[in-house]
Amino acid sequence: MSENEEYFDFSNTKKETPAANQNDTFAKIAELMCWDAYAGETPQDVFERNGNNLNAVPAKDIIDIVHAGGLLKWAEGLEVNSQAELYQKVMRAIRLTIAEPVFQDKKKIDIFPPFANFFYYCQRLDRNGRTAEEANGVSNVAWNGVICRRNITNRTREMFAHPDPQKFKIAAEKIKEVYKYTDANIEALRYFVCQSRHENHNPSMNKAIYHWGDEKQTGKTTVAKTIIAILNGDILENAGTYESNLNIELQYDKHACPKAALFNSVLLDEAAPKDSRKSYPAVKSKLTNNSCDFDPKYKMVITIPCKRYYYFTSNDPIYDFVQDHKERRFLEIHSTEKPVQMSFEDIYKLWFDFCTNATPEENWQVWYNSFAFIEGLATKDVDEIVNEIFLRWESVFSTVTGTYTTAKQVADKLFKNEPTPEQKRGVRTAMEKLFSECKSASNKSFFNIMSCRAKIIEMSRDIDMDVKDDGFPF
């Protein structure tokens, strides 16, 4: 038997096929040819009534491809473990179609037009030197659009099928002991784990983990890799497969497929930029999105599901990344201490028990709302501006300049150079926060200087009293 015959099993298809498989083949041919069956007829009866014989039937695999709707739909149904393996199967299918003996016989080739058309399509690819290009395009779309996600689902379905609350409780207590995590940290991780396996999870309730710490050897990266590997049904050694960066996830390359479209959760290790002013709006938008447009080369753009469950790790505080005043899309974990030393096997087992036995709250909306907002860079900037106003209030609210002042005039006094738009917005927010009662009745942009001075003296006196009550020296 030749290599081609072994792959397509020509002999079984045409002569020795069991009755069930043969009927399936005849049924597919009848469907493709739009032949109706009379009462009591088998698919083979229909085939024979229409005056055809087995010698004109191509290999079963070719019938399957055409019946599925073409190479792409057929490829989406294959069981493969990598895009490279899928590419080889698609290439082989095209080549074996070109070499199919039925299509070399001019008397037989056009008996079944749907199969002949597929042969001409493959032949045209080969003659134009586009076989590899087509195989790459088909495998790219099928793998990224369907198969990879299906493989992950099949791999994890049994893992998470039987959670044990007692095992989770034991694992959670051990994690707090080993990593010095708080109850809030455990709750954040439980939410992140549960959302990754929640069917039809509302994307507006997506939360990403931002795990940071400027101390070395706090275990944040190891914890992140372990959790991500487990949520994708894999071992720690393969965690790199599920790691990405913002360039890919934000699709700065229009042909890039986000890893969030392929996997249950994705690691972004040290991926947050130091200056996130330009990228942060795009990050916010993506975090609460559940699909993406994938533009594979040589193929049309398709929309595919995309579960945006990201685990960020960083050495920098979260308020250096979050640009807004407050942010609801992140759960913060701050590691400051070295964990108890454990082997990688024990670390994996501990987090496996945590992840596979975690269960969600009954009401997702209530659970989502229970987490505090994260304060961002804008809040930090406003706090610094408030402190600066307290330190320099006499010069900022000098009565020499007139009766009223504006946020812009205050910004000009606080900053040596021309204030940036961000600084102006920060001053406006600080003025609203401190002196909302001091606005002019006729123009809300103007603040009465004397009222502002009185207000800040009053607030300073209250601060002094709080310090004395706490027992600290004035």
Side-chain angles (χ1 to χ4, degrees), residues 346-358:
D346 289 340
I347 291 173
Y348 185 87
K349 176 64 169 60
L350 177 60
W351 285 105
F352 184 88
D353 286 346
F354 180 91
C355 293
T356 57
N357 293 295

Side-chain angles (χ1 to χ4, degrees), residues 347-409:
I347 291 173
Y348 185 87
K349 176 64 169 60
L350 177 60
W351 285 105
F352 184 88
D353 286 346
F354 180 91
C355 293
T356 57
N357 293 295
T359 54
E361 297 295 316
E362 289 186 9
N363 191 316
W364 276 91
Q365 188 65 61
V366 172
W367 194 17
Y368 176 86
N369 293 339
S370 69
F371 294 97
F373 279 54
I374 300 298
E375 291 191 348
L377 186 61
T379 296
K380 178 188 174 186
D381 290 344
V382 169
D383 289 343
E384 291 177 351
I385 290 170
V386 167
N387 290 336
E388 195 68 17
I389 290 174
F390 267 86
L391 289 172
R392 299 169 54 188
W393 68 270
E394 290 189 90
S395 61
V396 169
F397 299 114
S398 172
T399 55
V400 174
T401 57
T403 306
Y404 294 96
T405 188
T406 64
K408 182 182 182 305
Q409 290 172 332

Side-chain angles (χ1 to χ4, degrees), residues 5 74 130 164 209 231 236 244 251 354 364 384 398 405:
E5 290 175 324
W74 170 77
R130 295 183 56 245
D164 184 336
I209 293 286
L231 293 182
L236 180 56
S244 188
Q251 293 180 285
F354 180 91
W364 276 91
E384 291 177 351
S398 172
T405 188

Side-chain angles (χ1 to χ4, degrees), residues 324-348:
D324 295 333
H325 287 281
K326 293 185 182 294
E327 179 55 74
R328 60 184 173 82
R329 299 170 180 85
F330 285 95
L331 297 167
E332 179 186 15
I333 297 178
H334 182 198
S335 289
T336 58
E337 299 184 49
K338 292 183 179 180
V340 175
Q341 291 300 304
M342 298 173 64
S343 67
F344 285 116
E345 291 79 8
D346 289 340
I347 291 173
Y348 185 87

Side-chain angles (χ1 to χ4, degrees), residues 162-270:
H162 309 289
D164 184 336
Q166 187 60 28
K167 284 186 177 180
F168 172 81
K169 184 177 179 180
I170 293 172
E173 291 301 319
K174 181 68 173 178
I175 288 168
K176 288 194 289 185
E177 176 187 330
V178 171
Y179 295 95
K180 311 301 186 294
Y181 286 174
T182 65
D183 288 336
N185 296 152
I186 293 296
E187 191 68 357
L189 291 167
R190 182 167 74 99
Y191 188 96
F192 181 79
V193 167
C194 290
Q195 73 177 356
S196 73
R197 23 183 244 259
H198 183 208
E199 292 293 331
N200 301 315
H201 186 73
N202 187 336
S204 68
M205 292 191 288
N206 288 357
K207 282 188 178 289
I209 293 286
Y210 190 97
H211 195 160
W212 71 280
D214 49 9
E215 296 290 334
K216 301 297 183 183
Q217 298 181 329
T218 57
K220 62 180 184 293
T221 300
T222 300
V223 167
K225 287 184 175 181
T226 305
I227 290 175
I228 295 301
I230 293 169
L231 293 182
N232 287 297
D234 214 334
I235 58 176
L236 180 56
E237 287 77 0
N238 295 335
T241 304
Y242 314 106
E243 186 172 347
S244 188
N245 58 60
L246 286 179
N247 286 347
I248 293 175
E249 299 309 305
L250 299 181
Q251 293 180 285
Y252 290 144
D253 177 355
K254 70 174 185 176
H255 298 301
C257 181
K259 288 199 174 184
L262 308 180
F263 307 125
N264 285 342
S265 53
V266 174
L267 172 62
L268 295 173
D269 187 26
E270 298 294 346

